[in-house]
Amino acid sequence: AKSISGNGLAFGGFLACVAGGSLIGGPIGAGVGIVGGIIVGTALKLGFNWFWNKYVDDEEKSENALRLEEQKEALARFRFRTDDLSIVKDEEKFNKNIIRKEYHRQAKECHPDKTALENNDAWLELCCHYGILLALCEHRDKQLSKDGQGMCDDTICDGDSDEEKRALLDDQR
C-alpha cells in the first residue's frame, strides 16, 4: 500500500507538471514540464514516505510494545519477576514444567467447570498467558539448539532474522 500510494502520488505530480508545461509553452513547455514533473513527483514521493514512516509505521512499533507488555503481564500472572526479562533465558527458573505447575494451580481457582463463576474472563486470561509463556519457552529452546547458546534480549533473540522475529511475535498473538 505504501509503494502504490507513493508511486501514484509521484506519477500524479509528474503528469500535472507536464500538462501545465504543455498548456503554457507548447513543446518547450512540455520539456520543462517533464523536468519539473520529475522534481515535483520525487518531492511528493519523499514527502509521502516521510509521512508514512512517521505516522503509519508507528502502529507496528506500538504493536511490538503491546506484545512486550502482554509478555510482562503473563510473567507477572505466573509469578515471575517482570523487572528483569532475562529470566526467560534461564532454563532452570523459566521452563515448561514450572509454567505448567503454576497453570494447574491457577486453573483450580478459575476453571469454568470448577467454579460457579459465570464470567470466564479470568479463565481466558489464564489460558492466553499460558500460551504466551509456552511460546517464549519454545522460542528460547529453539534458539538454544540453533546457536548452542542463548542470545535472547527482551524475549526476542538478537541472532534472529527480521522474519524470525516477526514469526515469533505473530505466534504470540
Side-chain angles (χ1 to χ4, degrees), residues 1-7 9 44-61:
K2 175 183 173 185
S3 65
I4 292 172
S5 299
N7 290 337
L9 191 59
L44 286 172
K45 184 172 182 178
L46 290 174
F48 176 80
N49 286 340
W50 170 83
F51 176 82
W52 184 279
N53 291 334
K54 182 166 176 103
Y55 296 106
V56 179
D57 278 350
D58 273 353
E59 291 176 16
E60 183 177 319
K61 292 174 189 170

Side-chain angles (χ1 to χ4, degrees), residues 74-93:
L75 288 167
R77 172 81 188 246
F78 279 70
R79 300 192 286 173
F80 292 104
R81 291 180 50 199
T82 60
D83 58 336
D84 183 14
L85 295 179
S86 65
I87 191 160
V88 174
K89 295 187 245 180
D90 189 346
E91 287 183 270
E92 290 180 20
K93 295 179 182 175

Side-chain angles (χ1 to χ4, degrees), residues 83-108:
D83 58 336
D84 183 14
L85 295 179
S86 65
I87 191 160
V88 174
K89 295 187 245 180
D90 189 346
E91 287 183 270
E92 290 180 20
K93 295 179 182 175
F94 185 81
N95 60 53
K96 291 179 183 178
N97 289 333
I98 292 171
I99 294 168
R100 189 178 309 115
K101 286 178 186 177
E102 182 62 21
Y103 169 76
H104 287 292
R105 187 191 70 74
Q106 290 188 29
K108 292 175 186 174

Side-chain angles (χ1 to χ4, degrees), residues 139 143 147 151-154 156-161 165:
H139 178 73
Q143 194 65 29
D147 295 341
M151 295 179 58
C152 290
D153 179 30
D154 289 343
I156 299 175
C157 293
D158 293 334
D160 289 347
S161 68
K165 288 178 183 177

